[in-house]
Amino acid sequence: MLQELRTYVERNGAVSILDLSNHFHVAPDALRGMLDHWVRKGVLSRQSLTTNCGGCASAGQCGGCGVLASLEIYEATS
């Protein structure tokens, strides 16, 4: 599965954690550990864009609406 994640990101350019979750049918939290493996090796990079959607995020909590997760992007470093 590690190699499949790497290949998918390399083929598709910048990919959100939600796109990966939908494609591989795996929860985002489970994917993060695998993706972090490639980030540590310098093969992939992670960009986490933060936003205040005005809902639960303004209270410092996330209700799981997916707004923040959709802004967590992985891409190949070279």
Side-chain angles (χ1 to χ4, degrees):
M1 176 106 186
L2 281 171
Q3 189 61 41
E4 291 176 34
L5 279 169
R6 176 184 178 174
T7 301
Y8 185 83
V9 173
E10 289 174 340
R11 274 195 217 142
N12 292 288
V15 181
S16 77
I17 190 81
L18 289 181
D19 289 338
L20 291 166
S21 177
N22 289 332
H23 180 78
F24 289 101
H25 306 287
V26 176
D29 286 340
L31 288 172
R32 283 186 186 98
M34 292 181 264
L35 291 163
D36 284 344
H37 167 81
W38 292 119
V39 170
R40 283 190 306 273
K41 295 217 175 254
V43 174
L44 301 179
S45 64
R46 175 182 46 234
Q47 297 179 12
S48 295
L49 308 172
T50 58
T51 184
N52 184 345
C53 68
C56 54
S58 63
Q61 300 175 350
C62 180
C65 65
V67 170
L68 295 178
S70 67
L71 298 175
E72 182 180 337
I73 308 295
Y74 290 86
E75 58 189 350
T77 56
S78 55

